[in-house]
Amino acid sequence: YSGSISGNPEVKGDLEAAAKNLVDDLGSDDEAEIIKFGSKVKVMQEFPSDKALLRKAITTDPIFDKWTALYDAVWQGINDVDDPTKTLNARKAVVLLSDGKDIGPNDQPLSQNTIDDVIEDAQNNGISGIPIFSIGLGNLDTNPLEEMADETGGIFYESTESDNLDTIYEQIADLLFTDQYVIKYES
């Protein structure tokens, strides 16, 4: 919700509609957390399974300036997903939408955490790590978004237009909620 999102009503509307559809795809036992970020990171709604609370959090607007604390936001998401007091389900993931830029005044990084901190944290938490599904939108720096996804077992998606977001979120929902298999092997 830095300037690139909050400053464009069409993009913001497409993002919120797609996120609401992802919430609608949650199963009855699934939980999600809504985090918005700009110059600060704000948890809008912690892990309920109540879809109405999640939908409300999606449309609640925090006030941020134009800067982006990208890595701090992803780090917050990873640590919240892995906190056993906040979530009950075994399947854990972070879904991120960004232009891939962690930027503050004078084009300096804004986050306290680095991309290496985020990747290491994702790899070392959860049962087998926490995948980051990153979605790039806008004037992109794809490198960090691809690296976070590749290094954590997630997938990087590039959306050339915000009206593609609904399709991308639907693909992520299928991966997370539908197309899962358990394979056992005995030697």
Side-chain angles (χ1 to χ4, degrees):
Y1 276 71
S2 60
S4 60
I5 295 292
S6 61
N8 188 328
E10 180 182 345
V11 169
K12 186 176 156 221
D14 289 342
L15 164 62
E16 290 176 352
K20 286 180 192 176
N21 288 338
L22 180 63
V23 164
D24 290 341
D25 287 338
L26 292 171
S28 61
D29 293 333
D30 294 330
E31 296 175 309
E33 177 175 76
I34 306 298
I35 298 175
K36 293 185 179 181
F37 62 98
S39 56
K40 297 180 181 178
V41 178
K42 182 165 176 65
V43 177
M44 304 300 292
Q45 179 61 60
E46 288 186 347
F47 295 100
S49 54
D50 183 336
K51 293 179 183 182
L53 290 174
L54 292 167
R55 291 172 66 81
K56 181 179 179 189
I58 290 167
T59 58
T60 301
D61 280 342
I63 306 282
F64 295 130
D65 59 25
K66 63 183 179 178
W67 311 119
T68 307
L70 170 63
Y71 302 131
D72 287 348
V74 179
W75 188 88
Q76 176 80 44
I78 291 164
N79 285 280
D80 286 357
V81 164
D82 197 46
D83 184 342
T85 65
K86 292 184 180 181
T87 181
L88 303 173
N89 299 321
R91 178 75 171 148
K92 300 174 182 191
V94 170
V95 178
L96 165 69
L97 174 77
S98 175
D99 61 8
K101 298 172 186 168
D102 187 294
I103 192 163
N106 300 318
D107 292 332
Q108 295 297 309
L110 187 61
S111 291
Q112 298 298 310
N113 294 287
T114 66
I115 189 170
D116 293 333
D117 297 333
V118 168
I119 290 169
E120 181 179 346
D121 206 30
Q123 290 172 336
N124 293 326
N125 283 310
I127 294 169
S128 59
I130 297 171
I132 299 170
F133 293 85
S134 59
I135 305 163
L137 177 67
N139 182 15
L140 292 178
D141 181 356
T142 60
N143 291 336
L145 298 173
E146 288 176 350
E147 185 177 353
M148 283 187 283
D150 291 345
E151 295 294 324
T152 64
I155 299 173
F156 168 69
Y157 298 86
E158 186 172 348
S159 182
T160 55
E161 299 291 329
S162 62
D163 57 1
N164 296 336
L165 292 175
D166 199 41
T167 301
I168 292 170
Y169 277 114
E170 188 175 300
Q171 291 172 357
I172 293 171
D174 286 345
L175 284 170
L176 293 177
F177 311 133
T178 307
D179 299 338
Q180 295 185 38
Y181 302 92
V182 175
I183 300 172
K184 291 184 178 184
Y185 172 77
E186 289 185 36
S187 64

